[in-house]
Amino acid sequence: MNDSVIISDSTKRFRVVGTRPIRPDGIPKVTGRALYGADLKLPGMIYGKILRSPHAHARILSIDTSKAVALKGVKAVITAADLPEQKNEFIGPERVAVNFWHVTRNILAREKALYEGHAIAAVAAASASIAEEAVALIKVEYEVLPHVIDVDAAMAPDAPLLFEDMITRGVEPAPAKASNISKRLAFEMGDLAAGFAAADVVIERDFKTAAVHQAYIEPHACVAKVEADGQGEIWSSSQGHFQMRALTAQILGVKIGDLRVTPAEIGGGFGGKTVTYLEPVAALLSKKAGLPVRLQMTRDEVFKATGPTSGSSMWAKVGVTKDGKIVAADAVFKFQAGAFPGSPVMNACLCAYSPYDIPNARAVGYDVVSNRPKSAAYRAPGSPIGHFAVESVIDMCAKAIGMDPLDLRIKNVARIGTPTIAGPKHAHAGFAETLQALRNHPGYKAPLGPNQGRGVACGYWFNGGGESSATLQVNADGTVLVATGSPDIGGSRASMAIMAAETLGVDYNTVRAIVADTGSVGYTHVTGGSRVTFATGTAVVNATRTVVTDLIRRAAMIWDVDPEGVVWEDGYAKPAGSNVGDFKPLSLKELAAKAAATGGPITASAGVNAGGQAPGFAAQFCDLEVDPETGRVTILRFVAAQDVGRAIHPSYVEGQIQGGVVQGIGWALNEEYIYNAKGLLDNAGFLDYRCPVASDLPMIETILVEVPNPTHPYGAKGVGEANICPPMAAIAAAIEQATGKRMTELPMSPPRLLAALSA
């Protein structure tokens, strides 16, 4: 069981919010009846397969598909030539602002293959085996080019160029020659020189992190059907079916309204399924074949062709006074973007210092392309990487002045009104309370044994708001249906039902929440950035409140009184006072039964562009033991405190925190992309890409700190991101206490740690 503790600064209590009902998707999933992207079967459906580059970097001289086309059973063959060319600029159909020149080339390579696994061509055939055979018959003539994998090597003046015309943005004057550096970013506040001059201790270090994959269990998969009139339908496992619709429409050159996308269940995403890889290819194959097409990746393809998060090379410098005041901080973050620009380096710049009140600070970031798959979001994208460097140096500063590392952080905590390096001031509290909750944990002062250490680190994520829609309808028997456009990857169906039930004052079990297709609910941005409970939840509550107003009006009609004389309490319409009349309260079920006589269907929709989201703060400590003979690290205890605003469904919140910690442990100790001298990935599978398993982990204790967000109807803050930010630095600090060795490169795997111990 989980030893979760909930610490709340609010005395307000709710009927449904904060309870732990059974998850609505639980039974279909444990019985194997839930439908994922690869489960749908349509009449006449055929099977797709993609040909992928065997080279890390190669010019495509020719593609001969004639033998594949001639193979019996093959219904369609496509290459990039079948896709309309896109402009090399950022455009934004339906709120999706990306460079489609890059996107279309990632989906199907044109001039060059830029990484091993880069899609070259695709076929659709009557069976999967015929599709495999057809792919093998496609002949591609390549001119193999020099490749570059490491970010520092990619930034070198003599590095092989992925794009001969890429001029670094963000540099004045613009560079005279092309490079692999897509963009330079810089943020600064205060007087850096004066800040470091005031410091009694200044520590700086270099850091490196490996690229790691989100490692979701379900590979990418979709089914597409395009009719002769151009109307298309797609069933897809993704974190945002509205985004899949917009991207696919733009890439294929069709109207958004001609596509309808239905969300399938999703077997994990963590940010990695906000990108489209298969949907446009499947739709184009279907259009060409005149039949529905299923397209799904193998595990090997997932690793080689979908976005891991960036690897990095970093430098961080922090200055403190003897009494523990952080007076200056400086850092440079160089991030691998993969084959196309767009790493989350800006987030690293903006998040790394945000938990603290540091008057003088600078953060410089570089977005760098290399011959790897295009990077994708991974749980607080960019922030965990930046925190590994900055939190590590802060920990070194605490040790240098002889101060408890948690006390140093408490002394420098960011509060409401503290400026951030981006300019805006913090508008929400919660970090100080989270640090204190961790400080008060009984395990923090527990004695340690030989070869054991304890480490502390913190994390920050902005959390998201944005556009969401919801529809609520009351059925004739008084049950309620809530439809949203947010794919459920973290328990959002339960939280939507909880908030609707709380607002209506009815039992949770009378409310059903679903995720509707793009034709059945208004536009909703992706499930990502920890935005859904806040933004989509606000839309659900707004729609529910509209229904409550309608129910009051209907009760007033039945009683022949003014609506102002009716109130809604605990699921009943009641007279506001004795002067209104002596009427028996009307339940939701009773009003639903009279819907036809009081105005027709009881339904409401709401759309929001939610602002006022509160950031996520996390503080964690871990105890571990290092085997000095093997370099193996055993995690003994992990305690994770996080400001969650208000836990709408505490069990889901605990699961989010525990999941983020587990992924952080894997990132810290084992996970990495390993490339050979030819630029080919050597560990494209779970046997060789080492994720943590149950036997690697302790019970992860969670402390839910509730400092409600006043801009949300029930005080919610996003909880899915900040928890992955501290583990790497916390584990590095604990390893140093256990061994005397400060590790600055991830992963801190047994061979790497043993080498450090031996040195």
Side-chain angles (χ1 to χ4, degrees), residues 149-151 208-214 306-314 333-348 366-370 372-386 388 667 671-673 675 689 728 746:
I149 297 294
D150 179 75
V151 64
K208 294 204 76 152
T209 68
V212 298
H213 201 272
Q214 299 85 349
T306 72
T309 192
S310 302
S312 73
S313 178
M314 300 177 286
F333 306 103
K334 296 177 285 188
F335 274 35
Q336 300 160 351
F340 299 94
S343 74
V345 69
M346 178 184 287
N347 295 342
Y366 292 92
D367 183 51
V368 185
V369 296
S370 59
R372 298 169 170 263
K374 169 77 178 72
S375 68
Y378 181 22
R379 219 168 181 154
S383 184
I385 303 170
F388 171 60
W667 202 336
E671 295 184 41
E672 62 177 321
Y673 267 38
Y675 284 91
Y689 181 90
M728 291 78 80
L746 299 182

Side-chain angles (χ1 to χ4, degrees), residues 682-698:
D682 275 345
N683 61 331
F686 283 139
L687 286 176
D688 298 309
Y689 181 90
R690 178 74 164 81
C691 289
V693 296
S695 58
D696 296 318
L697 304 165

Side-chain angles (χ1 to χ4, degrees), residues 586-609:
L586 288 169
S587 68
L588 176 63
K589 185 175 182 178
E590 290 169 319
L591 287 166
K594 300 176 183 293
T598 56
I602 304 173
T603 183
S605 296
V608 300
N609 189 3

Side-chain angles (χ1 to χ4, degrees), residues 581-644:
D582 185 18
F583 301 111
K584 179 185 175 183
L586 288 169
S587 68
L588 176 63
K589 185 175 182 178
E590 290 169 319
L591 287 166
K594 300 176 183 293
T598 56
I602 304 173
T603 183
S605 296
V608 300
N609 189 3
Q613 65 269 24
F617 293 105
Q620 300 169 2
F621 80 83
C622 73
D623 295 348
L624 55 77
E625 184 174 319
V626 178
D627 184 336
E629 295 185 355
T630 65
R632 175 182 169 84
V633 173
T634 301
I635 307 292
L636 305 173
R637 181 204 300 269
F638 213 111
V639 180
Q642 186 167 327
D643 172 27
V644 302

Side-chain angles (χ1 to χ4, degrees), residues 465-528:
E467 294 177 281
S468 286
S469 300
T471 297
L472 185 139
Q473 51 188 310
V474 180
N475 300 315
D477 60 356
T479 58
V480 178
L481 178 69
V482 176
T484 75
S486 293
D488 183 357
I489 61 171
S492 59
R493 277 171 291 196
S495 61
M496 298 305 119
I498 285 173
M499 287 183 279
E502 185 72 52
T503 308
L504 282 168
V506 300
D507 184 83
Y508 167 85
N509 294 308
T510 65
V511 182
R512 183 187 178 203
I514 66 167
V515 184
D517 66 72
T518 57
S520 303
V521 71
Y523 175 82
T524 302
H525 193 44
V526 297
T527 296

Side-chain angles (χ1 to χ4, degrees), residues 245-335:
R245 179 180 70 168
L247 290 167
T248 301
Q250 176 67 30
I251 291 164
L252 297 184
V254 302
K255 296 191 223 91
I256 290 175
D258 285 344
L259 289 177
R260 183 169 62 148
V261 183
T262 299
E265 288 288 355
I266 179 170
F270 314 110
K273 288 182 181 169
T274 59
V275 184
T276 183
Y277 301 103
L278 301 180
E279 289 80 2
V281 177
L284 187 55
L285 286 170
S286 176
K287 180 180 179 181
K288 199 165 185 178
L291 294 166
V293 173
R294 177 196 288 170
L295 194 55
Q296 62 190 90
M297 290 188 183
T298 64
R299 181 63 57 191
D300 182 88
E301 289 177 306
V302 169
F303 273 107
K304 290 181 178 178
T306 72
T309 192
S310 302
S312 73
S313 178
M314 300 177 286
W315 168 84
K317 177 181 177 181
V318 174
V320 298
T321 60
K322 291 178 182 177
D323 64 350
K325 175 60 183 170
I326 303 175
V327 290
D330 196 5
V332 175
F333 306 103
K334 296 177 285 188
F335 274 35

Side-chain angles (χ1 to χ4, degrees), residues 702-716:
T702 59
I703 304 173
L704 310 187
V705 180
E706 292 190 324
V707 181
N709 176 7
T711 65
H712 183 270
Y714 295 110

Side-chain angles (χ1 to χ4, degrees), residues 385-416:
I385 303 170
H387 278 301
F388 171 60
V390 171
E391 289 288 314
S392 292
V393 177
I394 287 174
D395 187 76
M396 295 179 210
C397 289
K399 287 180 170 61
I401 63 173
M403 190 173 187
D404 180 276
L406 196 50
D407 288 344
L408 184 143
R409 289 168 169 86
I410 291 172
K411 185 178 183 69
N412 293 279
V413 67
R415 302 180 186 274
I416 293 176

